[in-house]
Amino acid sequence: MIENLPPCPKCSCEYTYEMNALVVCPECGHEWVPAEAAGERVVKDAVGNVLQDGDSVVVVKALKVKGSPSGIKAGTKVRNIRLVDGVDGHDIDCKVDGFGAMQLKSGVVKKA
C-alpha cells in the first residue's frame, strides 16, 4: 500500500485512492499505475503484462526481416531482453536465434 498517494495527473484532485494495482481519481474517474505517474517508463507486452530487463518473451505474430528470405516465425522465444528507448517504437533490444541482435516492438511479443 502506498503511504502518500499522488494527486490525479488529469484534474489534480488530491482525494485519490488505491484499487488493486491502480490509483483512481473519484472526481474525474481517471485510473493509472503509480509507476507511470512517477515518471518511470513502463513497457507492456501485447496482452498488457509489464516487461522488465532480463525477461523472456515469445513473438506473437510472424515478422518480416529485411535481407532475410524468411522472417521470424510466431512462437519464437527470445531470452534475456533489454528495454531501451528505441527508434520508431522499437523498445526491446535482444538477440534472436538465427537472426542475431535486433530491436523489437513490445506490441508483437508476449511475456513467457
Side-chain angles (χ1 to χ4, degrees):
M1 182 173 206
I2 300 174
E3 293 293 325
N4 295 324
L5 294 173
C8 177
K10 285 202 172 185
C11 70
S12 301
C13 172
E14 59 186 32
Y15 301 109
T16 57
Y17 62 94
E18 281 187 41
M19 184 172 68
N20 297 327
L22 298 174
V23 177
V24 181
C25 175
E27 290 186 10
C28 70
H30 179 63
E31 299 177 347
W32 72 96
V33 177
E36 291 174 345
E40 295 178 22
R41 190 172 65 106
V42 176
V43 177
K44 295 183 180 181
D45 66 2
V47 293
N49 297 322
V50 177
L51 297 173
Q52 298 177 358
D53 286 345
D55 283 345
S56 293
V57 295
V58 176
V59 177
V60 294
K61 69 179 209 172
L63 303 173
K64 295 180 182 176
V65 179
K66 286 185 179 179
S68 173
S70 64
I72 299 173
K73 295 180 182 178
T76 302
K77 189 168 186 177
V78 180
R79 292 177 176 77
N80 199 19
I81 65 168
R82 203 174 50 151
L83 302 177
V84 295
D85 289 326
V87 178
D88 210 21
H90 295 81
D91 45 10
I92 296 175
D93 195 21
C94 60
K95 289 184 182 176
V96 180
D97 291 339
F99 291 95
M102 64 175 47
Q103 290 188 341
L104 299 172
K105 292 184 179 181
S106 59
V108 298
V109 298
K110 180 176 78 169
K111 193 170 185 176

